[in-house]
Amino acid sequence: MSQIPVIMPQLGESIAEATVVNILVPEGGQVEAGQDVLEVETSKATMTVAAPCKGVIGKWLVQANESYPVGEVLGFIEARAEDVARAGLEKVAEPESPANEQQAQQPQQAPAPQTPPSSSLPQTGAAAAAAAAPKRGTVEPRVRGLPVPAHAATVSYMSPRLKARINELGLHAADLAGIAGSGAGGRVTIEDFERYIANLEKQKLTQASPMRVAVADAMRRSWSRPLATVGLAATLDAVLEHRKKLLLRPGPALYALRALAIALSENSAIAGRLIGNKIVHPSSIDIGFAVEAEAGVLVPVIRNADKRPLLEIADLYSRLVEQARQRTLPAEATGHCVATVTNYGTFGLIWATPIPLPEQTLVLGLGAGRKAPLWDDARGQFVPVTEAQLTLSFDHRVLDGGAAGRFLKRIVQLLNEPEKL
Amino acid sequence: MDSQTKQQYIRAYRYMLLARVLDEKMASLYRSGKIHGGVFLGRGQEALSVSVGLSLRKGDIFAPLIRDQAGRLAFGEPVLDAVRTWMGSVLGPMRGRDGNVHRGRPSEGLYAMISHLGAMISVVNGALMARRMKGQTDVVGATCIGDGGTSTGAFHEGLNQAAIEKLPLVLVVADNQYAYSTPNTKQYACANLVDRAPGYGVAGWTVDGTDLSACLKVVGEAVSKARAGGGPQLVVASLLRLCGHGEHDDAGYVDPKLKESPLGRDCLKVAEEHLRKTGWAGEVELERWRAEATQEVERAVAQVQREPGPDPFQEDWTALATRHLLDTYIQNNKE
Amino acid sequence: MSITYLEAIREAQARALAEDPRVFIYGQDVGNFGGAFKATKNLAQRFPGRVLDAPISEDAILGSAVGAAIEGMRPIIEIQFADFSTVAFNQIINQAATLFWRTQIPCPIVVRLPGGGTSGAGPFHSQSYEAVYAHFPGLVVMTPATVEDAYSMLLEAVAIDDPVIFCEHKFLYYHLKAEALPETALPAGKARIARPGRDLTLVAYSAMVHEALAVAEELSGEGFEIEVVDLRTVKPMDTDTIVASVARTGRLLAVGESWPWGGVTAEVVARVADEGFNLLDAPPQRLNAKDTPVPFHPNLWAAHRPTARTIADAARKLLRT
């Protein structure tokens, strides 16, 4: 009989440990190869650990509600040699018994009586070390075969020389995305890079404006976060009706801006910034809105947008749009804002996934309004409405889909009562 | 003959006295925290040591060890050199880079010891070989060592080498019964260290280290013999160390019987007795000489106390004489 | 007419004895016998009284060298095998290396150490001591790899006013030959580009330089140009030449016959990582002997130290990184 260890598997990238929540098969229980024997919970999900081969659970070294690192020996299965071989495992610890030796030397004879499983099992070096090592405190990942941290042989590795050269040229790692790497693990070597740059020189080049470069930098920095988008259709009829009555007739984007501001004033954490393990709440609800200017996009800001009713700021809004187009925005109307509204509907787009500015957690996008059929339950028929898609792109580190969805729903709700904006 | 003996004796005594006063002053400064590192005195060894220093001539080579203040003074070492090195003045011969008894002026024949006992013997040998190669025959090299130092491999190799080369080496062993706390019974198994002399093929001498007359006579003859081509001379003096191994050590392990035996006599007092008995000096002279010695030491200490220690920012921090061979990477990263 | 590495050493000593009356040679069996390796053959006869036989007392041999130096002589000490210099270790590092720093009296001694492995020599006749002595301030450590350097660097060593540990390689004694002795030479302290290249910098010294050149030759057939740097002097180390080479190639492999921990190769890598970090296109590597004493059996000995094959393997791996 061999003692085959049950080892905590690698349960996901960057998972270092897991907590045992349930021992599914007790000591002495029979198991088949691949059968789930333990239930463990990681920070992401609850998973199971399977028996490596057929046999009997000899001993569990773990307890429920305790955490164990990846690679740790959790227990032992006693398995017969043929089951071990069938599972393709090497024997780990063979208890020295004359019975086994007899078996090996005289295969013709009847098998010798099996040595009963003893409670003091010979432990492997790993198990002995695991038993001796303290289980509390920081857990070192002990994934077999994988060196930690990653060596210079992965696609994302940039050598010091490459970094220095990139800095020299004023470029960023993002610019490397299109370069095929010939180094270990597909990494881009300095030769690959120089060749790429030399080739670029041979193609048609135009000068990127400073604004273009600045936006590129902002988008690159923003993209360094995990961004996601949720969308919801809003009926704009109420807004359009309300608008008809006004002299100035501000665009629907202003309504969206006010709705966003009010929704944020009700729950400012949504626009908070995650720094380490703290969420920094905005101190005032300053909302920006995107205006396309020559060779780029400007974002004028309406400060304390939650405290100023729509009718009050309609004038200001129109003026800022004009100033943005002329690039004559005053200083106090530019700079920091906690969220942005972008009306991509003006380009005729019905749907888009905008990217929030690097210092912001979310951006609200408004698509073009179109006539669309809406099912009216009361009348039992489709009725024509003017519908526009609202998309909310957000930093998934701060918000989950649920919270984003609820927030968007609130905005749509506010848009249905434009007179309150 | 008599006046020469008297002159020599008085000269010797006065160096012993100066050495003792200097040692005591250093001990006192040590106890008041004014000296960095250890303090090692030659108390009880002055007669032997001064005999070596006086028997040598200018042009000879002297490699003293740790209890040889008297010999150093007799060989010509200025008091200021000693006090400056003890007190860490940057103006001393070692410039703060080494301290206490690890001092010397090799270009003047006074070699600066390293701490490894026995290591200086072969250095003196090499110097004597060099002199011989240069045709200088009228030269003697002397070095002192204790009973403990004779146990080292370096001692063996050095004495053996001197014997093979028949060098004019005078190796003076101050057998003061203890090497730190280790008594002779744990240091060597022969009856007397001089028994080794025939083993090496060298001449051997014994002398009562507490008796200045005997020391002057024996050491003087050994030096003459060496100078005349008699090969290495092993001089073994018996005495008692009358201080701790260092001033940090109270020497409580010393056998009190030894202290009370003739071996435990203070050679300075023995010399004073001899001076009185022979009428070569009376209380007045003895007091005057002590006062002069004290004054000389106090003056030196007062002067050195005003001198600066080495400035780490002025310090060169290189160890090679050949500047163009300094490792530039290391020099650039000296911080 | 060809001259071996050993003959070059002999010629240099002869010239030193002839040109400077302060020079003498001291060591075991160096006199009439001419030395265990014949490095001083006939010199005792040619220069009577200047080539002296010593007893088996390395401590005294070195101590007396220092004493002679204090008195103005310029001794060349032959230690029969580098491995025996350990007996003289105290005198080398505590007496010779500190003399000038302590007393301002220079110590112009040369300590010749026949070192390095040869098949069957075993643990106590094969060691390399350059890293050990380089560690201590006050010493110059030379590791000539060529016949020409063995000659010119020994002459320079004698002329230097500081203690020079002259690490000769026994394997090169009879195997390495040159056409003639050099007229001019690079000064001590400067490294030599033994073979220019483009793809990888291979830093080596002493016998390993020849392994490195063989590797460069082999990899040239695979389309890689390896630049071989011969350190020549381990201390001072010519950091500028090494870093300039890495600037050209972006990859470093340092090779040494001695052991890994704190060896010369570690010093090379540390300096390149410090001064040439942004030149590196891959982590700097080193290859040393296995971390055990040098084995006796030829099978083990051949596997113990870096060879052209293992160096080539390491180089290929680094080229692919």
Side-chain angles (χ1 to χ4, degrees):
Chain A
M1 290 293 262
S2 304
Q3 306 298 330
I4 302 299
V6 179
I7 293 176
M8 180 75 84
Q10 177 71 68
L11 295 161
E13 220 178 79
S14 82
I15 299 286
E17 56 170 339
T19 309
V20 173
V21 288
N22 224 340
I23 297 179
L24 300 171
V25 180
E27 287 176 9
Q30 288 273 359
V31 292
E32 293 296 322
Q35 180 181 339
D36 290 343
V37 291
L38 284 178
E39 208 166 65
V40 299
E41 189 187 73
T42 68
S43 49
K44 284 255 164 192
T46 302
M47 308 171 80
T48 53
V49 177
C53 65
K54 175 174 170 169
V56 170
I57 301 290
K59 184 165 184 71
W60 282 123
L61 300 172
V62 298
Q63 289 173 321
N65 294 323
E66 293 285 287
S67 287
Y68 304 92
V70 172
E72 179 119 334
V73 175
L74 307 171
F76 287 96
I77 289 177
E78 282 174 43
R80 293 173 305 173
E82 68 244 43
D83 292 326
V84 172
R86 199 174 299 134
L89 299 168
E90 357 162 61
K91 284 184 248 190
V92 176
E94 200 65 307
E96 270 155 351
S97 71
N100 286 351
E101 278 173 16
Q102 236 179 340
Q103 245 177 336
Q105 284 160 10
Q106 289 149 343
Q108 302 305 320
Q109 291 201 343
Q114 297 197 333
T115 46
S118 71
S119 53
S120 58
L121 299 167
Q123 291 191 316
T124 60
K135 293 220 165 54
R136 295 270 61 85
T138 53
V139 174
E140 307 292 332
R142 286 193 276 123
V143 180
R144 281 179 302 181
L146 240 177
V148 177
H151 194 72
T154 67
V155 64
S156 56
Y157 176 74
M158 282 205 296
S159 72
R161 171 177 255 190
L162 188 58
K163 280 193 198 134
R165 184 72 176 122
I166 284 170
N167 274 338
E168 198 183 356
L169 295 173
L171 299 175
H172 296 287
D175 300 312
L176 292 183
I179 306 177
S182 68
R187 78 166 177 100
V188 175
T189 65
I190 190 75
E191 290 86 13
D192 296 331
F193 179 75
E194 297 292 0
R195 213 175 299 127
Y196 178 75
I197 296 293
N199 278 334
L200 282 184
E201 303 283 323
K202 297 189 193 127
Q203 292 171 270
K204 175 177 175 188
L205 301 173
T206 52
Q207 187 71 22
S209 69
M211 172 167 290
R212 180 82 265 130
V213 173
V215 170
D217 187 61
M219 289 299 101
R220 174 187 64 82
R221 284 186 292 115
S222 183
W223 198 252
S224 65
R225 306 168 295 170
L227 301 172
T229 306
V230 292
L232 204 56
T235 2
L236 288 186
D237 296 275
V239 165
L240 293 171
E241 266 308 308
H242 184 272
R243 190 170 166 254
K244 277 201 203 127
K245 298 188 195 123
L246 299 181
L247 203 61
L248 269 172
R249 297 213 175 186
L254 181 57
Y255 289 81
L257 189 150
R258 271 288 296 164
L260 174 61
I262 294 169
L264 279 179
S265 70
E266 293 164 357
N267 183 3
S268 67
I270 295 219
R273 299 194 55 212
L274 181 68
I275 314 279
N277 64 351
K278 297 223 175 3
I279 295 181
V280 182
H281 293 238
S283 44
S284 64
I285 311 291
D286 303 335
I287 309 287
F289 53 98
V291 178
E292 200 189 16
E294 182 195 314
V297 175
L298 289 177
V299 182
V301 179
I302 294 185
R303 308 228 167 260
N304 296 303
D306 57 324
K307 297 190 170 68
R308 299 155 86 175
L310 187 138
L311 295 171
E312 227 179 78
I313 57 174
D315 216 8
L316 172 65
Y317 177 79
S318 303
R319 213 172 340 118
L320 288 175
V321 169
E322 197 45 48
Q323 283 172 325
R325 290 208 180 109
Q326 308 291 341
R327 307 189 75 160
T328 56
L329 279 171
E332 67 271 10
T334 61
H336 174 71
C337 52
V338 303
T340 305
V341 175
T342 174
N343 185 356
Y344 50 80
T346 55
F347 310 129
L349 299 172
I350 57 169
W351 191 86
T353 55
I355 298 176
L357 292 172
E359 65 274 18
Q360 292 178 5
T361 294
L362 42 85
V363 56
L364 178 68
L366 179 63
R370 308 179 294 164
K371 282 282 185 230
L374 183 69
W375 180 255
D376 187 330
D377 235 354
R379 284 189 253 177
Q381 62 174 96
F382 281 102
V383 295
V385 293
T386 308
E387 194 180 75
Q389 293 291 337
L390 281 176
T391 51
L392 183 76
S393 293
F394 57 96
D395 179 348
H396 204 316
R397 297 175 305 146
V398 182
L399 283 191
D400 294 323
R406 284 189 292 277
F407 182 71
L408 196 53
K409 261 185 146 165
R410 176 70 183 128
I411 291 175
V412 168
Q413 201 180 54
L414 286 163
L415 284 174
N416 283 334
E417 295 177 293
E419 59 282 358
K420 292 197 181 150
L421 289 177
Chain B
M1 183 65 162
D2 223 84
S3 66
Q4 201 182 28
T5 318
K6 173 185 170 184
Q7 231 182 19
Q8 190 199 38
Y9 197 94
I10 288 171
R11 227 175 132 227
Y13 168 76
R14 292 196 69 180
Y15 278 129
M16 285 168 65
L17 182 59
L18 182 57
R20 178 68 62 92
V21 169
L22 180 57
D23 271 0
E24 279 169 357
K25 183 65 185 178
M26 292 306 110
S28 143
L29 287 174
Y30 174 80
R31 284 190 292 276
S32 49
K34 299 247 174 61
I35 294 196
H36 300 290
V39 166
F40 304 91
L41 307 183
R43 194 185 179 88
Q45 207 159 306
E46 291 94 342
L48 177 69
S49 186
V50 80
S51 304
V52 180
L54 277 181
S55 304
L56 295 171
R57 294 181 198 154
K58 195 163 156 68
D60 285 342
I61 292 157
F62 183 29
L65 222 65
I66 70 181
R67 303 193 195 285
D68 286 304
Q69 187 57 70
R72 291 169 185 265
L73 290 168
F75 189 70
E77 183 185 60
V79 170
L80 268 181
D81 270 7
V83 176
R84 278 178 167 150
T85 310
W86 279 114
M87 296 177 73
S89 163
V90 72
L91 302 174
M94 309 311 280
R95 296 148 295 140
R97 293 178 174 187
D98 209 342
N100 53 63
V101 291
H102 299 87
R103 64 181 194 266
R105 289 184 185 273
S107 56
E108 291 165 36
L110 185 64
Y111 284 17
M113 64 174 278
I114 69 168
S115 302
H116 303 68
L117 302 174
M120 298 310 293
I121 298 173
S122 58
V123 176
V124 175
N125 289 349
L128 294 172
M129 286 163 70
R131 296 291 189 91
R132 186 166 62 191
M133 282 189 243
K134 291 196 270 189
Q136 295 170 30
T137 47
D138 182 22
V139 67
V140 166
T143 185
C144 303
I145 198 163
D147 40 278
T150 67
S151 298
T152 65
F155 173 90
H156 164 76
E157 290 196 21
L159 186 49
N160 187 50
Q161 181 190 44
I164 294 164
E165 294 291 333
K166 233 176 141 64
L167 296 171
L169 172 76
V170 178
L171 215 183
V172 180
V173 179
D175 188 343
N176 64 13
Q177 316 309 313
Y178 285 88
Y180 206 147
S181 72
T182 309
N184 284 350
T185 47
K186 291 262 188 250
Q187 201 65 251
Y188 57 86
C190 49
N192 189 309
L193 284 171
V194 79
D195 298 344
R196 293 184 180 170
Y200 286 99
V202 304
W205 306 73
T206 53
V207 64
D208 176 359
T210 65
D211 184 343
L212 177 59
S213 302
C215 288
L216 285 169
K217 182 168 184 293
V218 168
V219 173
E221 281 172 22
V223 169
S224 299
K225 222 58 205 283
R227 200 181 300 282
Q233 312 289 312
L234 180 67
V235 178
V236 179
S238 298
L239 50 115
L240 184 66
R241 194 185 75 206
L242 296 181
C243 52
H245 166 66
E247 284 309 279
H248 53 277
D249 169 37
D250 72 355
Y253 42 78
V254 173
D255 184 355
K257 286 206 212 74
L258 284 173
K259 287 195 229 178
E260 285 142 32
S261 72
L263 194 69
R265 295 185 307 171
D266 183 351
C267 56
L268 192 70
K269 291 199 174 61
V270 172
E272 281 163 5
E273 264 315 298
H274 186 84
L275 285 168
R276 288 190 193 98
K277 230 174 36 194
T278 53
W280 288 346
E283 290 315 312
V284 174
E285 279 100 352
L286 289 173
E287 267 174 45
R288 181 163 50 93
W289 289 338
R290 181 167 271 272
E292 280 170 19
T294 308
Q295 213 180 50
E296 190 176 348
V297 169
E298 291 293 340
R299 225 180 13 239
V301 170
Q303 177 181 338
V304 173
Q305 258 170 351
R306 292 192 299 271
E307 288 172 2
D311 180 350
F313 298 102
Q314 299 289 333
E315 185 69 15
D316 187 22
W317 298 114
T318 64
L320 289 183
T322 319
R323 309 241 9 131
H324 75 258
L325 285 179
L326 291 170
D327 189 307
T328 48
Y329 172 80
I330 293 173
Q331 293 309 305
N332 290 340
N333 288 283
K334 264 199 273 208
E335 316 302 298
Chain C
M1 182 235 153
S2 78
I3 180 158
T4 65
Y5 185 92
L6 182 91
E7 286 162 350
I9 289 167
R10 189 188 312 141
E11 285 308 308
Q13 290 181 105
R15 183 163 161 188
L17 285 165
E19 291 180 356
D20 191 339
R22 301 171 298 175
V23 175
F24 69 96
I25 300 175
Y26 190 43
Q28 293 156 30
D29 305 296
V30 298
N32 288 337
F33 188 69
F37 298 99
K38 303 301 172 202
T40 56
K41 183 168 158 190
N42 291 329
L43 295 184
Q45 292 85 343
R46 285 168 62 187
F47 303 95
R50 310 235 341 255
V51 184
L52 310 173
D53 286 319
I56 305 180
S57 302
E58 282 83 2
D59 184 292
I61 291 171
L62 260 303
S64 52
V66 174
I70 293 174
E71 295 297 318
M73 304 297 283
R74 303 184 84 86
I76 300 174
I77 301 299
E78 177 177 302
I79 299 292
Q80 201 155 87
F81 284 84
D83 313 50
F84 303 139
S85 72
T86 50
V87 179
F89 192 64
N90 181 51
Q91 296 285 13
I92 294 172
I93 66 158
N94 286 317
Q95 195 88 252
T98 69
L99 184 72
F100 176 72
W101 184 77
R102 287 180 304 121
T103 68
Q104 295 178 297
I105 307 288
C107 188
I109 70 173
V110 176
V111 186
R112 290 181 41 234
L113 301 182
T118 56
S119 183
F124 310 111
H125 292 78
S126 306
Q127 295 170 49
S128 305
Y129 278 86
E130 57 281 343
V132 173
Y133 291 118
H135 186 65
F136 292 90
L139 298 174
V140 173
V141 180
M142 297 185 179
T143 52
T146 63
V147 174
E148 293 86 349
D149 276 346
Y151 178 75
S152 62
M153 287 171 72
L154 183 51
L155 285 174
E156 194 169 353
V158 173
I160 288 170
D161 283 340
D162 291 293
V164 178
I165 309 298
F166 196 76
C167 302
E168 304 166 356
H169 202 291
K170 299 192 292 299
F171 189 83
L172 301 178
Y173 273 168
Y174 310 117
H175 285 104
L176 200 60
K177 294 188 171 75
E179 286 304 300
L181 291 175
E183 307 279 313
T184 58
L186 278 178
K190 287 233 68 70
R192 176 178 67 100
I193 305 294
R195 180 184 172 128
R198 180 200 61 214
D199 299 309
L200 184 148
T201 296
L202 191 46
V203 176
Y205 58 95
S206 194
M208 285 291 128
V209 170
H210 303 284
E211 304 292 312
L213 289 170
V215 168
E217 192 58 41
E218 187 184 332
L219 287 174
S220 172
E222 292 169 31
F224 294 111
E225 291 309 312
I226 309 294
E227 180 150 296
V228 177
V229 178
D230 173 6
L231 286 178
R232 300 176 72 243
T233 308
V234 157
K235 190 168 186 196
M237 186 182 284
D238 185 356
T239 316
D240 290 343
T241 298
I242 299 168
V243 173
S245 175
V246 175
R248 287 189 285 278
T249 67
R251 284 177 167 81
L252 172 75
L253 176 60
V255 178
E257 188 174 327
S258 198
W259 295 298
W261 203 102
V264 172
T265 57
E267 187 65 26
V268 172
V269 168
R271 292 176 186 217
V272 171
D274 180 358
E275 296 199 339
F277 189 71
N278 287 326
L279 304 171
L280 287 168
D281 203 35
Q285 300 293 306
R286 50 196 191 112
L287 190 60
N288 302 283
K290 301 218 181 350
D291 197 20
T292 70
V294 184
F296 147 77
H297 197 282
N299 292 355
L300 296 179
W301 178 76
H304 183 261
R305 63 201 272 274
T307 59
R309 201 182 57 77
T310 57
I311 298 170
D313 286 345
R316 281 192 198 95
K317 190 159 152 232
L318 184 56
L319 286 163
R320 278 198 294 267
T321 302

